[in-house]
Amino acid sequence: MSFVRKTHPLRRMVLAGAATAATIVLLLALKPNTDPALAQADAAPSTGLTADASLSASPTASPSASATPARTVGKERASSSPSPSRSASRSASRAPAPTRTSGAPSAPKTTSAAPTTRTVTGATAQTKYGPVQVRITLTDGRITGATAVQSPSSSPRSREISSTAVPKLNQETLAAQSADIDTVSGATYTSAGYKQSLQSALDQAGI
């Protein structure tokens, strides 16, 4: 009993030491591996390095990434936009050829034919005082001239009547444009022969 009593304080020290060791082990087990401040301090440099690495990596990657669209867009623009030579040739082929105009206006061409003139002589008409024959001139189917090739002239009186009556009969023919003319007073036979020969000439001319 005396031995037990002597060893009892030692036993309590051993138990106390064991309890203290167990408490320290338990605290060490529950305490995080690293201090939060130290962990943040350690994490900050690593994050900075990562950011720097990402930033340093991004410039090297971004130029290639940005250069590829730029080159692609440039190629697309170059392929889509026609070359100047092709556009110029197309515009030149589409543009109408300029027409040359002379400074002075050209004179109008006249296509009208020259007037047709012909002379027709009628048949000789026999009268009491002598023959009468009329000749007419036609221009484009119109009587432009009339004259007596033959007229009564067997006596001075006949020549006097003819010289007065024939000019009047010629004027009547031009005015009437036919054989429907008036008889000259005092030259009935001469006027009748003139009308007969005039109608023959008009028949030949087809008027």
Side-chain angles (χ1 to χ4, degrees):
M1 294 296 290
S2 61
F3 178 76
V4 172
R5 290 178 181 178
K6 288 182 181 179
T7 59
H8 185 68
L10 182 60
R11 184 179 181 182
R12 286 193 299 178
M13 292 175 65
V14 171
L15 291 174
T20 302
T23 302
I24 293 170
V25 170
L26 182 60
L27 291 173
L28 293 174
L30 294 176
K31 187 177 181 180
N33 294 329
T34 57
D35 191 13
L38 294 175
Q40 292 179 358
D42 295 334
S46 62
T47 304
L49 291 174
T50 305
D52 294 337
S54 63
L55 290 174
S56 61
S58 61
T60 58
S62 60
S64 60
S66 62
T68 302
R71 292 178 181 177
T72 306
V73 171
K75 290 180 179 180
E76 291 178 356
R77 290 180 179 176
S79 61
S80 61
S81 61
S83 61
S85 59
R86 291 182 180 177
S87 61
S89 60
R90 289 179 181 176
S91 62
S93 61
R94 292 179 181 176
T99 57
R100 297 181 180 179
T101 57
S102 58
S106 58
K109 296 181 179 180
T110 56
T111 57
S112 60
T116 303
T117 302
R118 57 177 177 162
T119 302
V120 181
T121 304
T124 303
Q126 298 294 333
T127 67
K128 182 179 180 180
Y129 296 99
V132 178
Q133 189 177 18
V134 179
R135 179 179 294 170
I136 60 175
T137 302
L138 301 170
T139 303
D140 291 338
R142 184 177 177 81
I143 302 174
T144 57
T147 184
V149 179
Q150 297 184 53
S151 61
S153 60
S154 59
S155 63
R157 179 60 180 169
S158 299
R159 289 193 295 269
E160 182 181 357
I161 293 173
S162 298
S163 62
T164 303
V166 169
K168 292 180 180 180
L169 294 171
N170 292 338
Q171 293 178 1
E172 289 287 336
T173 302
L174 295 178
Q177 292 292 312
S178 66
D180 188 13
I181 57 178
D182 296 333
T183 300
V184 177
S185 177
T188 305
Y189 294 100
T190 303
S191 298
Y194 188 97
K195 290 180 183 180
Q196 184 179 352
S197 181
L198 175 59
Q199 186 60 55
S200 174
L202 293 173
D203 293 342
Q204 295 180 32
I207 297 175

